[in-house]
Amino acid sequence: MSPLRTALLQSSGQLGDVAANLKILDEAAARAAAAGAGLLVAPEMYLTGYAIGADIPRLAEPVDGPSADAVAAIAVRHGLAVAYGYPERAGGVVHNSAQLVGPDGARLADYRKTHLFGGFEQEWFTPGDRPVVQAELGGLRVGLMICYDVEFPENVRAHALAGTDLLLVPTALMHPAQVVAESVVPVRAFENQLYIAYANRTGPEGDFEFVGLSALAGPDGTARARAGRGEELVTGDADPELLRRSREENPYLRDRRPGLYTALV
């Protein structure tokens, strides 16, 4: 089975300008495809910007809304899958969501952030209630999560136990929490024996300052690809063969004793 080349778009786009952000995504998809990528991952709330506050209800769209159709067209045009963050309107509530679209434009998965970070998110969003959302892509089982979710060990372990090979994490990591990108994400990949594609925003936006440092972390605990602090597109391979060998050598999941952990629930 061939590696799945994965591109991470580190960009905050244009705040509140969905059309401009779709254009940036289209250009990034062209560059990613030219580099041999089969998957492009964009940050949390990529379509609209993160710090949109009171504009969230106006800019939120349903899972099959016009922006979803535009992303599907981008995926088809460039022949690669696309994962991206957006505010999802569902009935009378709004979720902080991430959607995965296949290279044929099919909607493969939609995930609603389960752990909302801080007063801003808790004011404007309703948390999701499905911790594990997966799809099949390029021979890998791909899972979805958003930013703060990956900081909870139970969340990532649930994906490992469900067989996730590559965990996509659209992100809006802020200063001064760089330790999450630099240390926590590679450790999560190592202790759960999977790949994590962590795609962050960058630079100042409203009251927030995003730190970049997007990474594709491997099951060996290293960053197979790493961005700096600015706008950037980086690529790395999620290699099923490396994953297989690593899982054979690392005993964490085999040596678990779940009967000892009942206090966690």
Side-chain angles (χ1 to χ4, degrees), residues 18-31:
V18 174
N21 294 332
L22 286 168
K23 184 174 187 296
I24 294 168
L25 187 68
D26 191 19
E27 294 168 350
R31 290 157 53 206

Side-chain angles (χ1 to χ4, degrees), residues 113-165:
K113 191 174 186 178
T114 54
H115 296 76
L116 300 179
F117 178 78
F120 172 77
E121 291 189 12
Q122 292 167 11
E123 176 182 0
W124 292 107
F125 298 111
T126 296
D129 56 9
R130 290 182 60 200
V132 177
V133 173
Q134 298 170 310
E136 300 296 322
L137 180 67
L140 296 174
R141 184 168 295 177
V142 175
L144 284 170
M145 196 174 278
I146 299 174
C147 195
Y148 193 40
D149 291 327
V150 82
E151 298 176 40
F152 292 81
E154 303 91 338
N155 252 20
V156 186
R157 180 53 53 89
H159 268 276
L161 296 176
T164 295
D165 300 311

Side-chain angles (χ1 to χ4, degrees), residues 71-86:
V71 174
I74 289 170
V76 170
R77 183 156 52 249
H78 301 291
L80 81 175
V82 179
Y84 64 98
Y86 73 109

